[in-house]
Amino acid sequence: MTQSLTIRRPDDLHLHFRDGATMRAVVPWSARQFARAIVMPNLAPPVTTSALAAAYCERIRAAVPAGVTFAPLMTAYLTDSTDADDLVAGFADGVLTAAKLYPAGATTNSASGVTDIASIEPVLERMAAIGMPLCVHGEVTSADIDIFDREAVFIDRILAPLVERLPELKVIFEHVTTSQAVDFVKSAGANVAATVTPQHLHINRNAMLVGGIRPHMYCLPVAKRETHRLALRQAATSGSAKFFLGTDSAPHHRNAKESDCGCAGIFNAPYALESYLQVFEDEGALDRFEGFASEHGARFYGLALNAGSVTLEKAPVAVPAEVDGGEAAIVPFHAGETLSWRLVPSPADA
Ligand code: NCD
Ligand code: ZN
């Protein structure tokens, strides 16, 4: 008999869709797996207001295939001049689910991000007061800090003091990549949690640099040493409610990745559940997959758990070398590999 696993329909708590033709090409991949996703606001120009978020939400909804239920949950991109009233109103109306802190210059389309966290302190105080979650890209950007140390230094310089100053603020430390981040999240209060991507559970920095430079393994925060990958696998599969699924799927066209200044971001959306489930199987934690994928994140955000379910069965899936990305092809995570779990298509996909 084929081994299978049925879980409550999951959510992706950190996702990049882009806009236009690229967005329309990638949305169906996420919608076939997830009921909801926290959508990142780093478009060019960024989604900085509730009105921009509402309009972007409509464009995403229009790209969801007929018969599929999928809800984009929107975030606002914080800048030095964010209007706290607009944020609060957007959260109260349900237009915004969270706000995103990008330190200026940390990653793709973050040039308009926050230059000094002190400049948004009043905004963060309002968010803490109304229970609006803050999603954090946790890397410092100082030229003198080595790129492999930027997450750990961010904890000491920015995140730990922030959590101490505003102990009520709900903080999601996004796409954690280090044992320091795991330790910080574990030791912080219940209002601090983390998302973990599939790539940081599967690869260490060798995947990017050994035998030639592999642009499709490059994302930010950059993959670290093996000890960190092992700490992440332990945290994600431990059953702790502080760690949950957020793919950070970040599509860039093949030509933008395979370039003399290749973009950061791994497009893992096509086979995200299959990729994560492989890790849980290898760690002997299949019984903890539902919590990680479908419960911890929703509970942290204060969202109702999804109705319905998805089923994965033990069967090989060949990941294509590239997929349609709208204007140009995109190389997905695990391109050319065969994964060992397969999402059973729902009737709407048939
Ligand atoms: C993301 C992107 O391309 O938008 N890139 C990435 O490497 N993860 C931005 C981000 O989440 O850092
Ligand atoms: Zn991201």
Side-chain angles (χ1 to χ4, degrees):
M1 207 181 83
T2 313
Q3 193 187 352
S4 76
L5 183 74
T6 296
I7 58 167
R8 183 186 292 282
R9 207 155 166 232
D11 298 311
D12 184 347
L13 285 308
H14 181 125
L15 179 58
H16 301 268
F17 273 146
R18 316 305 186 204
D19 212 343
T22 305
M23 181 266 286
R24 289 190 291 275
V26 304
V27 162
W29 288 112
S30 295
R32 86 183 175 105
Q33 301 169 62
F34 299 102
R36 299 172 292 206
I38 298 280
V39 178
M40 291 296 128
N42 62 330
L43 303 183
V47 179
T48 49
T49 65
S50 341
L52 288 170
Y56 184 32
C57 185
E58 283 315 307
R59 297 198 295 279
I60 296 168
R61 281 182 191 283
V64 174
V68 176
T69 49
F70 174 80
L73 303 177
M74 308 310 292
T75 58
Y77 181 116
L78 296 174
T79 71
D80 289 345
S81 53
T82 292
D83 174 359
D85 290 338
D86 175 60
L87 220 59
V88 168
F91 185 65
D93 292 348
V95 171
L96 295 175
T97 299
K100 176 73 189 268
L101 168 61
Y102 287 105
T107 186
T108 306
N109 294 341
S110 63
S112 324
V114 173
T115 59
D116 177 1
I117 190 148
S119 68
I120 57 161
E121 194 73 10
V123 175
L124 299 177
E125 284 168 8
R126 294 280 297 279
M127 290 175 62
I130 62 169
M132 182 173 188
L134 176 72
C135 304
V136 177
H137 184 107
E139 290 190 285
V140 293
T141 55
S142 334
D144 59 320
I145 305 295
D146 188 279
I147 191 147
F148 290 100
D149 298 333
R150 287 179 174 200
E151 185 174 279
V153 173
F154 183 88
I155 298 169
D156 296 340
R157 288 192 188 170
I158 310 287
L159 196 54
L162 170 67
V163 166
E164 196 159 321
R165 281 199 312 282
L166 293 172
E168 306 296 312
L169 183 63
K170 272 193 196 181
V171 176
I172 303 96
F173 194 171
E174 301 286 2
H175 41 51
V176 287
T177 64
T178 58
S179 62
Q180 290 94 329
V182 166
D183 292 344
F184 176 78
V185 170
K186 280 188 190 159
S187 64
N191 59 316
V192 178
T195 51
V196 189
T197 76
Q199 62 264 23
H200 293 112
L201 297 170
H202 277 280
I203 63 168
N204 62 34
R205 60 198 197 177
N206 283 9
M208 193 174 50
L209 296 170
V210 171
I213 188 154
R214 314 230 179 232
H216 300 290
M217 298 296 187
Y218 172 60
C219 67
L220 288 170
V222 72
K224 310 292 191 300
R225 295 181 172 275
E226 180 65 359
T227 49
H228 297 289
R229 185 182 76 98
L230 296 178
L232 295 167
R233 285 172 77 100
Q234 201 286 326
T237 61
S238 69
S240 163
K242 286 172 154 273
F243 297 92
F244 45 81
L245 188 159
T247 61
D248 191 26
S249 178
H252 293 279
H253 296 124
R254 182 192 271 277
N255 55 308
K257 295 283 292 173
E258 299 174 8
S259 145
D260 60 1
C261 185
C263 294
I266 293 180
F267 181 52
N268 59 37
Y271 300 91
L273 279 181
E274 293 90 334
S275 177
Y276 279 116
L277 188 51
Q278 179 73 63
V279 172
F280 277 72
E281 182 182 35
D282 293 348
E283 297 292 330
L286 286 180
D287 57 326
R288 300 194 179 139
F289 188 57
E290 184 172 42
F292 177 79
S294 317
E295 295 172 353
H296 302 165
R299 289 203 182 105
F300 186 84
Y301 272 89
L303 302 168
L305 298 183
N306 295 313
S309 60
V310 294
T311 297
L312 292 112
E313 63 183 20
K314 197 79 189 287
V317 173
V319 178
E322 58 180 38
V323 300
D324 172 29
E327 289 106 2
I330 305 175
V331 176
F333 187 44
H334 296 300
E337 291 175 38
T338 299
L339 300 176
S340 54
W341 288 87
R342 186 179 84 96
L343 181 66
V344 178
S346 73
D349 300 330

